[in-house]
Amino acid sequence: MNGKSKNIVIADFYSKELNNYRNIRIYLPQSYETELDKRYPVLYMHDGQNLFDPADSPFKTTWNVHKTVDKLANDGKMKAIIVVGIDNNANRGSEYCHFMPEGRMEGRRGFRKCKISKEARGILYERFIINSLKPYIDAHFRTLKDRDNTALMGSSLGGLVTYFIGFRHPEIFSKLGILSPAFNWADFEKLNDVQKEPLKIWMDTGEGEAYYVENSRKVVNSLLEKGFVPEKDLAYFQVPGAIHNEDCWAKRLRMPLLFFFGNIGKPVSCSLTGRKRIGLKGMDVTVNPIVKYDSGFIMTDINGKFTIENPDILEIEPNGRIIPKACGTTNVKYEKYGLMDNGTYEIINELSETVKLELDIKVPSNTPTQERIFVNVGEIIEATKDKNGIYKCIITVPRDWGYHYNILMGDAHIRELDVNGKPVENIFQATDNMKIQYTVEKWDFA
C-alpha cells in the first residue's frame, strides 16, 4: 500500500447542541492521498485525546488506534477506514449519560446511592454527533455515508453512551464497539428496554474490572434473549488479566476492528477457563470458554456446547452459566469448531459470595509519621499502623472479582511510584481469602 496514514486535528470544533468546543482528531488511511476516487467506512470514537498521541492524553498512554489500523489493513485483515476521535471535556460525565441515576449498581456489592448533581446531556451529545459532526465529516472527507459503513466505539462511560446512541439510532450506526462499559451508571430496566435491531455489537470486559464483568454479562444475556445471534451480530470477550485502562483497550482493539471491518479468520485453539469449584449455595458461576483465531481475533464463546460426564452433578447453559445440582465431581468437555478442551468440576455444599483480603504494607523510611495511609481498591480505605510500623488493612470483597489497587499517602492521596518513578497499578483476583505482604517503593512528592 502506497503512502502513509495521516492524523489531523480540527481544533475547537463548535457544537451548537452543547454550546461548547472540542478538538476532533481524524485518522486518514494510507491510501487516502493516493486513491482519490476511493471512499471509506468511518469509525467514530469517544475520548479522542486518548486514542493517538500519548502527549495529548492525561494518562500519557493511548489506544494507538492508528498503529493497529495500519497493521491490520497492511496485513490484508481489514478494510482501510477513517477514524474520527471526539475529544471529551470537563462535562464528560454528563455528556456520556442519557440520564443520571440515583446511584450505581455494582453487581454483588449491590446498589450504592451517590450524589450526582450533573445534568444528563447524553441526548445533546448524541445530536451533536449525528446532526453536526457526521454531516461535517461526510462533507469534507471521502466517506461512505450509509449506516452499513458507520460505526461507533467507546470504553467505560464511552461504552455506555455508545450503547444508548446505537440503539436509539440504528438508522445511522450499524456497528457498536462497547469496551468495558460502565453499565453500573445505568438502570438495568433502561438497558434492557431495547429491541432487536440490525446492529453488529462487540462487547468486552477485563477480569480485573470487578462488577463490570458481572454487569456486562447481564446485558449480553439480555441481548441473546432478544434474538442477537452470537458471532453473527454479537461477540463478547471476557479478557483474562485485563484492567480498566487505555493500555488494556489498546491490546484488544484489533478484535472489534476485525469483527466490524475485516475477516476474523478460522478458529485454531480453545481453552475452558474460569472457576471449576462451585457451590450448591452461594455465588453464581459462569465459565469462560475462549476461542482464538488465526487472524489474532479472540472471543468468549457465548453459545457453547458442553458435554457433562455426570449430568446429575451439574448443567451448563450455552451462555456458560453453571447450574449445580449435587455435590461431587464430573468431567466437562467443551467442543466447538472441531476444537476441544475439558476440565474437572467440583460441586461443594456452599461457596461464599465474599472473601477477605489482608494487606500488610511497608512504607518508605521518608514517610512522615503523622501521615495516614490508604488503600485505593475502587474505594478509599484507611489502613491502621501496628507497633512495628506496618500498616494493615482487611477488605471484604466479592469472590472471583478482579481488582486493581494502589497505596495512597495522606489526605492529599499522594500516589505511590515504582522503582522507575512510574505510578503503580497492581491487580489481584480474589479467588479465596488471601494475605499480601506489600512494600511501597517511593511516593510521588513532586
Side-chain angles (χ1 to χ4, degrees):
M1 185 179 293
N2 296 323
K4 293 183 178 180
S5 62
K6 185 178 181 181
N7 285 12
I8 61 176
V9 177
I10 302 174
D12 297 326
F13 189 94
Y14 179 66
S15 166
K16 63 180 183 294
E17 297 84 359
L18 294 160
N19 191 29
N20 59 23
Y21 298 82
R22 72 194 67 222
N23 290 345
I24 304 298
R25 304 171 192 273
I26 301 172
Y27 160 91
L28 299 175
Q30 294 179 359
S31 60
Y32 191 84
E33 293 184 349
T34 57
E35 298 181 30
L36 300 182
D37 293 329
K38 186 173 182 178
R39 291 185 172 271
Y40 298 85
V42 183
L43 169 62
Y44 291 86
M45 299 184 70
H46 313 292
D47 295 313
Q49 58 265 67
N50 298 331
L51 302 179
F52 302 109
D53 188 347
D56 297 324
S57 170
F59 309 109
K60 302 308 176 187
T61 182
T62 72
W63 292 43
N64 285 316
V65 172
H66 53 307
K67 295 180 180 179
T68 301
V69 175
D70 277 352
K71 179 166 176 52
L72 290 174
N74 284 338
D75 291 347
K77 294 180 178 179
M78 68 170 279
K79 300 174 184 177
I81 65 171
I82 293 172
V83 180
V84 178
I86 310 165
D87 273 21
N88 64 43
N89 55 35
N91 296 317
R92 179 180 185 270
S94 59
E95 290 187 354
Y96 286 9
C97 287
H98 279 67
F99 56 90
M100 282 295 176
E102 295 179 357
R104 301 180 184 181
M105 178 54 69
E106 298 186 352
R108 279 180 279 149
R109 274 186 177 171
F111 184 79
R112 294 194 172 198
K113 287 190 175 181
C114 55
K115 295 179 180 179
I116 302 175
S117 58
K118 293 182 179 180
E119 173 193 3
R121 308 185 80 198
I123 290 178
L124 297 178
Y125 178 70
E126 166 189 302
R127 291 173 181 167
F128 159 62
I129 295 173
I130 294 172
N131 298 333
S132 294
L133 180 60
K134 186 178 187 301
Y136 177 91
I137 297 297
D138 287 338
H140 291 81
F141 298 92
R142 298 195 311 276
T143 66
L144 293 168
K145 304 176 184 180
D146 61 296
R147 68 172 301 277
D148 289 342
N149 288 288
T150 306
L152 188 64
M153 185 183 296
S155 63
S156 195
L157 281 175
L160 177 68
V161 77
T162 294
Y163 180 92
F164 280 110
I165 292 176
F167 273 100
R168 284 168 55 84
H169 292 283
E171 79 283 2
I172 304 293
F173 303 99
S174 64
K175 303 169 179 67
L176 308 179
I178 302 170
L179 286 73
S180 302
F183 287 147
N184 57 303
W185 277 59
D187 183 330
F188 274 93
E189 289 185 7
K190 291 184 173 64
L191 286 168
N192 292 333
D193 188 22
V194 297
Q195 303 300 317
K196 174 68 173 67
E197 301 287 355
L199 295 168
K200 197 166 189 177
I201 297 174
W202 167 272
M203 193 182 302
D204 63 36
T205 46
E207 288 186 346
E209 295 186 80
Y211 49 82
Y212 282 76
V213 177
E214 201 167 295
N215 291 343
S216 294
R217 278 283 193 173
K218 290 179 182 178
V219 175
V220 166
N221 291 339
S222 175
L223 295 177
L224 291 173
E225 291 172 0
K226 294 179 186 299
F228 280 84
V229 180
E231 299 173 59
K232 179 177 179 291
D233 46 29
L234 175 62
Y236 173 71
F237 186 23
Q238 187 169 310
V239 191
I243 60 176
H244 199 80
N245 65 24
E246 276 67 26
D247 281 338
C248 290
W249 297 321
K251 289 175 183 176
R252 62 184 189 260
L253 174 62
R254 70 183 186 277
M255 264 67 89
L257 291 176
L258 287 168
F259 190 57
F260 295 155
F261 303 109
N263 184 352
I264 65 175
K266 297 179 180 179
V268 292
S269 67
C270 67
S271 56
L272 189 57
T273 68
R275 167 171 289 280
K276 293 181 171 63
R277 195 166 189 252
I278 303 104
L280 281 174
K281 297 181 290 184
M283 63 174 282
D284 289 336
V285 176
T286 301
V287 298
N288 184 22
I290 293 176
V291 183
K292 296 183 179 180
Y293 291 68
D294 57 7
S295 65
F297 183 80
I298 309 173
M299 71 171 191
T300 293
D301 186 1
I302 51 175
N303 187 31
K305 180 182 178 182
F306 304 93
T307 303
I308 316 300
E309 184 178 58
N310 186 349
D312 293 333
I313 299 294
L314 60 85
E315 295 179 9
I316 303 181
E317 297 177 343
N319 66 3
R321 179 172 174 264
I322 295 177
I323 303 173
K325 300 169 76 174
C327 292
T329 60
T330 185
N331 182 264
V332 172
K333 180 171 71 173
Y334 164 78
E335 195 168 11
K336 197 83 172 280
Y337 318 105
L339 305 170
M340 189 271 289
D341 194 21
N342 62 68
T344 299
Y345 286 73
E346 179 186 10
I347 305 299
I348 60 175
N349 185 55
E350 184 172 2
L351 186 71
S352 65
E353 290 272 356
T354 60
V355 295
K356 291 186 182 298
L357 167 69
E358 184 176 347
L359 271 169
D360 285 356
I361 306 162
K362 184 178 180 181
V363 299
S365 58
N366 65 342
T367 304
T369 56
Q370 75 277 11
E371 289 285 21
R372 297 186 294 167
I373 300 298
F374 300 89
V375 178
N376 177 16
V377 60
E379 59 181 320
I380 307 297
I381 301 173
E382 185 172 0
T384 58
K385 188 177 182 180
D386 71 10
K387 62 181 180 181
N388 298 315
I390 301 297
Y391 289 84
K392 295 180 176 291
C393 186
I394 299 177
I395 308 167
T396 300
V397 294
R399 188 189 293 271
D400 282 1
W401 279 10
Y403 291 88
H404 47 104
Y405 71 97
N406 53 24
I407 312 303
L408 306 172
M409 180 182 68
D411 293 334
H413 292 167
I414 294 171
R415 302 176 301 174
E416 61 168 317
L417 303 176
D418 65 18
V419 291
N420 298 313
K422 295 182 178 180
V424 173
E425 198 71 71
N426 304 292
I427 183 170
F428 73 92
Q429 190 167 8
T431 58
D432 212 335
N433 295 334
M434 59 191 300
K435 184 172 183 176
I436 298 176
Q437 307 284 343
Y438 190 82
T439 299
V440 176
E441 298 292 343
K442 59 174 71 173
W443 299 113
D444 186 6
F445 283 117

